[in-house]
Amino acid sequence: MEFKVTILGCNSATPSHGRNQTSQVVSLGNSHLLVDCGESTQFQLRKYKVQHSQLDYIFIAHLHGDHCLGLMGLISTLHLSRRTRLLTLFGPPGLDEIITVQLKYGNLKLHYPLRFVPTDTVGKTLLVEEEHFKVFSFPLKHRIPCTGFLVEEKPRLRNLVKEKVHFGKLGIEAIITLRKGLDFLDEKGQVLYSAEEYTHPPAPLRKYAFCSDTVYDEEIIPYVQDVNLLYHEATFMNIDQIRAKETCHSTGAQAAAIARAAGVKQLLLGHFSSRYRDLDPLLLEAKEVFSETIISEEGKSFWVE
Ligand SMILES: [Zn+2]
Ligand SMILES: [Zn+2]
């Protein structure tokens, strides 16, 4: 199953240098999750050919405008496109009020059901469980209530060893038992086929974590431990470290320190300040701390592997 993150926006507060505010699509096979919805999200979805009709879940980290000002436009476009399927929106308490007020004064009755689920900032919380994956929220430290999101694949069945399997012989019951990792027994309780011999373990499970916005906070580490890809905000460079702390943001090097401590495979930096046109020096500072660091680019997809 393809597991990737497509960046739609990677700038912070305002759009600048051709970069838009935070938004990204996490795709797992045929499921597409929108994470944050900065102002230009629906233009970016169109530009990078992500069908908004494919979205069933939207996750909003917090209520600063650079993460949610595009939401009302997208909700309205889905209505005008005659969507009828349920859309579930996760975000901090109050987001429902913002939407309700806009719908009320625009006298707009949506053609589709919009379900709102408030997030909280207490520990790891399961938000979505689908056949192949789960999505959790976890707390981030910012100026207002804010959460990160963790997307995890669910355990898969073991794979049959092709050379060993004679489909005529192995009944469906034996196949199901073996793929669960259990030995298949005969009537006397003797092992007829052993799971170890007849199956391979499935590929390791993959995880993606999204952390924006947050001050440097080591309490994040257990939530993002060992993920394959960590997206972490990197608003500032080292020279602006004091400003980062004051505004509850992180530097690239601080993001890298979190990634290194959490043993992640790869770090993807984003949420850049408009004060930097050229991001190479910021990337360099982060790479000095954690070499497996890459930088967000709008329209580009990053594989979770
Ligand atoms: Zn922000
Ligand atoms: Zn913010």
Side-chain angles (χ1 to χ4, degrees), residues 53-65:
S53 59
Q54 296 176 334
L55 302 171
D56 287 318
Y57 299 109
I58 300 178
F59 303 85
I60 302 293
H62 66 299
L63 297 183
H64 281 153

Side-chain angles (χ1 to χ4, degrees), residues 63 71-72 75 89 91-105 114 116-118:
L63 297 183
L71 197 52
M72 208 53 228
I75 286 172
L89 174 63
L95 182 56
D96 53 337
E97 207 178 313
I98 293 170
I99 293 164
T100 306
V101 164
Q102 297 212 38
L103 293 176
K104 179 182 165 192
Y105 289 102
L114 178 62
F116 176 68
V117 181

Side-chain angles (χ1 to χ4, degrees), residues 62-64 66-67 142-144 146 212-213 247-249 271:
H62 66 299
L63 297 183
H64 281 153
D66 55 324
H67 297 257
H142 194 42
R143 305 196 299 278
I144 55 172
C146 184
S212 187
D213 299 351
T247 55
C248 285
H249 286 296
H271 198 268

Side-chain angles (χ1 to χ4, degrees), residues 68 155 196 204 215 225:
C68 64
E196 191 62 35
V215 72
Q225 192 75 46

